[in-house]
Amino acid sequence: ALEALFRQPVMILIFLITLLGISWQLTIFVLIVLPVSGFIIGRIGKSLKRTAKKGQNELGEVVTSLEETVGGIRIVKGFTAEKIFARHFNKVNDKHFNLMVRLFRKQYLTSPIGETLSAITIAMILWFGGNLVLEGDVLNGEFFILYVVIFSQMISPARALSESFVRVQRGLSASERIDEVLKADEQIMEVPGAKSIKEFKESIVFKNVAFNYGGEPVLKNINLEVRQGESIALVGPSGGGKSTLVDLMPRFYDVIDGSIEIDGQDIRDFKVYELRDLFGIVSQQSILFNDSIRNNLLVGNENADEKQLIDALHTANAHGFVISLPEGLDANVGEAGNRLSGGQKQRLSIARAILNDPPIMIFDEATSALDTESERLVQSALDRLMKGRTSFIIAHRLSTVQHVDRIVVIDKGEIVETGSHGELMELGGLYKRLIDLQDLS
Ligand code: ADP
């Protein structure tokens, strides 16, 4: 379409100059009549663009509905909610279908409308030119026929031009949508001339950090210094802001107020990619890809050799179950790792984090979803992973964090207590109440 947009105008211009040479009166008449049909085609193009844009949005909804239903198929079946989801899918799908019908109807209408318009234009030219010939000296019969022949040659490039115009409009609306999606991720901006950060030497410091997701404050007045090598547990009632706090360090979100510094430098001054490379994250939901165990591990470090893979599996307490699989390291983990148990998936995520070898580890409820036996295996893998690293551990089960260097209790977005397990028990505050609730004292 772009090619036509550049080539056709040149041809049209050459034809127009020739036409001007034959009869300027007739050509001026043509130039008055043509823009009218051009305007009509333009209007159709705009309306097509609008419909096409809506179509893109609604296709997005159809895909989301499909993805959610298939992703949550256990829940859908477990609640025998197939009908509800089928109804929802049909609704969005019908909406999209109707819109596409409207779009294609408009699209196919442009061609007959274009032809009718050109027939009308030619009729008007024949009428006006015929009159000029009949009047005598302005234009003679032969030249009028030549004029009509050349003009008819001009119609096809003109139509190609208007068609490519319509196509470009459609493309533009699609690219606008893509732009929206791409730009959505640009909330975290890297400053020009961002500094490089390859290692973490001294400390991470939160200075008066405040944060919200656009509404109520989620974190306020956070002051915390974590030395290199320290292990910190974040505990407290759910919704208190623990996950948000750790998300701020790799800049998944930026602080609203205050600052976070690594080795004395604001993290916003660093290259985002290198900053994120300092962190390894093991979360409650282990995210594995539908591929072999080997390839899932290589996500952590694509250059790891066989020995490193095996060592990482050993450290993560995962070697035993991996070699018991018939295909070993080349066994496929299934969609989202579904062929493995929760604990196995978690131990593979840990092996992946070990291969990645980051100086700072974040564990976000890494053992919460596991039964006691797998929790024990995962916990001992985690303990090995934490050695020599700085770690942030968000834990619901307080028994798993009693041995860390420092426990930070967060409630309603604020740090309410800090100290070791013993100190906090003595203090008799929120931490002690939580422990009593979990009956661990
Ligand atoms: P915790 O980890 O302590 O359970 P979170 O950090 O997950 O707490 O959540 C803190 C608060 O922020 C909650 O009130 C939660 O509803 C809100 N929240 C978390 N993530 C988002 C988000 N992406 N958008 C809007 N609000 C969020």
Side-chain angles (χ1 to χ4, degrees):
L2 270 181
E3 185 212 337
L5 222 49
F6 286 104
R7 198 180 49 189
Q8 309 304 355
V10 177
M11 299 186 55
I12 293 172
L13 199 71
I14 293 172
F15 283 131
L16 260 184
I17 290 169
T18 320
L19 293 182
L20 264 176
I22 299 173
S23 161
W24 61 268
Q25 295 96 328
L26 194 50
T27 309
I28 285 177
F29 177 76
V30 167
L31 288 181
I32 293 169
V33 176
L34 269 187
V36 175
S37 51
F39 174 75
I40 296 173
I41 297 274
R43 284 295 293 268
I44 297 176
K46 273 216 187 95
S47 135
L48 264 179
K49 187 177 158 191
R50 262 199 314 274
T51 320
K53 178 130 197 243
K54 260 203 219 147
Q56 311 278 352
N57 283 334
E58 282 180 6
L59 185 62
E61 276 180 41
V62 175
V63 173
T64 308
S65 165
L66 184 68
E67 225 170 58
E68 281 179 354
T69 313
V70 174
I73 193 72
R74 276 155 179 265
I75 304 294
V76 175
K77 285 192 171 167
F79 281 92
T80 55
E82 286 96 335
K83 282 217 183 81
I84 301 176
F85 282 85
R87 218 181 305 136
H88 181 249
F89 178 80
N90 282 338
K91 207 174 102 193
V92 288
N93 194 38
D94 280 350
K95 221 166 115 192
H96 181 246
F97 171 80
N98 288 332
L99 199 80
M100 288 321 274
V101 169
R102 245 169 54 213
L103 181 66
F104 282 118
R105 201 181 285 149
K106 275 187 198 169
Q107 213 169 28
Y108 288 127
L109 263 178
T110 47
S111 163
I113 288 178
E115 262 160 55
T116 313
L117 280 175
S118 52
I120 292 173
T121 319
I122 290 206
M124 288 175 78
I125 289 166
L126 285 177
W127 169 76
F128 188 78
N131 275 341
L132 283 184
V133 173
L134 290 179
E135 272 171 28
D137 26 324
V138 195
L139 184 66
N140 69 33
E142 290 98 60
F143 272 109
F144 179 52
I145 290 172
L146 181 65
Y147 191 98
V148 171
V149 168
I150 293 178
F151 183 78
S152 68
Q153 291 306 302
M154 204 174 79
I155 288 177
S156 122
R159 192 175 306 143
L161 183 68
S162 74
E163 266 165 25
S164 62
F165 181 68
V166 169
R167 239 181 286 154
V168 167
Q169 293 282 329
R170 259 182 70 126
L172 276 182
S173 84
S175 75
E176 265 170 32
R177 174 90 185 110
I178 292 173
D179 240 30
E180 270 173 31
V181 175
L182 290 181
K183 289 223 172 91
D185 205 20
E186 271 180 21
Q187 289 163 345
I188 300 295
M189 296 291 283
E190 192 168 282
V191 290
K195 291 201 177 65
S196 173
I197 179 160
K198 296 284 187 212
E199 50 180 353
F200 168 52
K201 293 194 208 100
E202 281 161 23
S203 63
I204 301 180
V205 183
F206 286 72
K207 285 190 176 163
N208 284 318
V209 167
F211 181 77
N212 63 58
Y213 286 101
E216 293 285 294
V218 172
L219 290 175
K220 40 190 185 277
N221 251 330
I222 300 289
N223 284 293
L224 180 66
E225 174 165 359
V226 179
R227 314 287 314 168
Q228 196 270 332
E230 244 189 320
S231 54
I232 298 287
L234 301 169
V235 305
S238 103
K242 303 179 292 292
S243 306
T244 306
L245 189 133
V246 295
D247 278 352
L248 294 178
M249 293 187 289
R251 289 188 74 196
F252 294 146
Y253 303 98
D254 268 340
V255 299
I256 303 279
D257 206 3
S259 63
I260 300 175
E261 291 177 2
I262 290 187
D263 293 345
Q265 182 85 43
D266 194 313
I267 56 172
R268 283 168 290 194
D269 295 337
F270 293 124
K271 294 192 173 126
V272 177
Y273 197 77
E274 293 187 0
L275 173 74
R276 288 187 182 163
D277 236 13
L278 297 180
F279 295 90
I281 299 168
V282 177
S283 58
Q284 181 170 3
Q285 275 189 323
S286 33
I287 295 162
L288 297 177
F289 303 98
N290 189 1
D291 203 337
S292 63
I293 291 181
R294 182 190 307 277
N295 286 339
N296 268 294
L297 292 178
L298 289 177
V299 171
N301 174 6
E302 53 184 340
N303 301 315
D305 58 28
E306 194 73 13
K307 182 173 177 308
Q308 284 170 304
L309 292 183
I310 304 284
D311 285 350
L313 286 173
H314 273 298
T315 316
N317 275 338
H319 190 253
F321 87 81
V322 171
I323 52 165
S324 73
L325 297 170
E327 292 142 309
L329 268 170
D330 294 306
N332 194 292
V333 300
E335 198 160 317
N338 273 336
R339 287 196 203 137
L340 304 173
S341 78
Q344 291 172 333
K345 280 193 275 187
Q346 204 59 314
R347 280 177 276 155
L348 283 188
S349 324
I350 293 171
R352 183 173 57 188
I354 292 170
L355 285 167
N356 188 228
D357 196 25
I360 308 167
M361 280 302 311
I362 294 174
F363 304 103
D364 192 346
E365 307 262 11
T367 58
S368 309
L370 305 178
D371 56 88
T372 330
E373 171 61 12
S374 356
E375 179 173 6
R376 200 181 51 75
L377 285 170
V378 171
Q379 192 61 48
S380 79
L382 287 183
D383 292 342
R384 264 177 260 163
L385 179 53
M386 275 158 55
K387 271 207 195 85
R389 286 177 229 272
T390 314
S391 3
F392 292 83
I393 306 135
I394 297 179
H396 182 64
R397 262 178 243 168
L398 301 178
S399 60
T400 56
V401 295
Q402 291 178 358
H403 57 283
V404 300
D405 297 328
R406 206 155 26 124
I407 297 171
V408 175
V409 187
I410 295 178
D411 187 25
K412 302 194 185 77
E414 285 183 283
I415 297 180
V416 290
E417 294 165 13
T418 37
S420 67
H421 172 72
E423 287 166 1
L424 292 179
M425 286 305 284
E426 209 152 290
L427 190 70
L430 179 60
Y431 181 77
K432 180 159 187 311
R433 282 208 302 284
L434 292 171
I435 289 273
D436 289 346
L437 275 177
Q438 295 190 0
D439 208 14
L440 291 164
S441 49

